[in-house]
Amino acid sequence: EPEVTQTPSHQVTQMGQEVILRCVPISNHLYFYWYRQILGQKVEFLVSFYNNEISEKSEIFDDQFSVERPDGSNFTLKIRSTKLEDSAMYFCASSEEGTGELFFGEGSRLTVL
Amino acid sequence: DQQVKQNSPSLSVQEGRISILNCDYTNSMFDYFLWYKKYPAEGPTFLISISSIKDKNEDGRFTVFLNKSAKHLSLHIVPSQPGDSAVYFCAASEGGDSGGGADGLTFGKGTHLIIQP
């Protein structure tokens, strides 16, 4: 069964460092998303991406964040200068039709020290 | 500002009985609602959805009910099975189910369902 894969599963970084989280969405999907879940809190929408551009982003997705689809298969989330409060589980998701029936990856846990 | 609220952090149900998970929302622009299930160390998995033009959608053991006037939806699982033990997230979207959009979902905080043998 096709699945969304994410790497790394866990990354520990120092505050102020750049981090890139990688995702390989399901191959025939056209819509891509990043969500995050801070420990003990709800899953929060960050950004959606369609047709090689951002289609929607939340208030969380400020100038420190960027997304890219560099090669037609990977979908990356970059955090330029990490803060302590960026520590969270980051979930990548994709969907075929943008209906909200998203397929999520297993998540990348980011710990900022 | 919690636009999607799941007021029960946890729910314990005996195997074979009905599990009812509740969700309330405040944004009247939401027109598409979904339930996701999440096991530890895994991403959320889509379960079932409902458009605002319907008041019920059924898929096997899972039924979602929508009461638009009360801005309330519920997920019924019957009969409950041990494998149903997980965290259940209610989510909502303004984008509808017409496709072509990529609106982000607004999630509730989740309800941890525990099915007891």
Side-chain angles (χ1 to χ4, degrees), chain B residues 19 21 35 37 39 46-49 56-65 74-81 83-84 88 113:
Chain B
S19 296
L21 297 107
W35 284 95
K37 174 180 179 180
Y39 293 117
F46 169 74
L47 260 183
I48 192 169
S49 62
K56 177 182 174 182
N57 189 25
E58 194 171 348
D59 183 3
R61 295 187 298 115
F62 302 92
T63 304
V64 56
F65 295 91
S74 61
L75 173 69
H76 292 212
I77 306 173
V78 54
S80 301
Q81 298 174 354
D84 296 330
Y88 288 79
L113 177 64

Side-chain angles (χ1 to χ4, degrees), chain B residues 14-102:
Chain B
Q14 262 195 318
E15 182 179 356
R17 302 279 197 147
I18 182 171
S19 296
I20 300 176
L21 297 107
N22 293 303
C23 177
D24 298 290
Y25 62 96
T26 57
N27 186 345
S28 57
M29 299 299 291
F30 287 145
D31 57 4
Y32 194 56
F33 305 90
L34 309 95
W35 284 95
Y36 281 82
K37 174 180 179 180
K38 185 180 180 304
Y39 293 117
E42 293 185 13
T45 304
F46 169 74
L47 260 183
I48 192 169
S49 62
I50 187 167
S51 166
S52 59
I53 62 172
K54 295 184 176 180
D55 54 18
K56 177 182 174 182
N57 189 25
E58 194 171 348
D59 183 3
R61 295 187 298 115
F62 302 92
T63 304
V64 56
F65 295 91
L66 176 62
N67 182 335
K68 288 187 292 293
S69 60
K71 294 192 177 69
H72 176 84
L73 64 154
S74 61
L75 173 69
H76 292 212
I77 306 173
V78 54
S80 301
Q81 298 174 354
D84 296 330
S85 294
V87 178
Y88 288 79
F89 292 100
C90 171
S93 167
E94 294 182 32
D97 63 349
S98 58

Side-chain angles (χ1 to χ4, degrees), chain A residues 31 33 35 37 41-43 45 48 50 55-56 91 97-102 104-106, chain B residues 32 34 36 38 42-44 46 49 89 96-97 99-105 107-109:
Chain A
Y31 300 84
Y33 310 81
Y35 285 78
Q37 185 179 26
Q41 299 187 24
K42 63 181 180 179
V43 177
F45 168 71
S48 58
Y50 171 71
S55 51
E56 189 188 4
F91 292 105
E97 298 175 349
T99 60
E101 295 174 13
L102 309 184
F104 283 84
E106 293 192 344
Chain B
Y32 194 56
L34 309 95
Y36 281 82
K38 185 180 180 304
E42 293 185 13
F46 169 74
S49 62
F89 292 100
D97 63 349
D103 291 357
L105 298 176
F107 281 84
K109 286 189 174 182

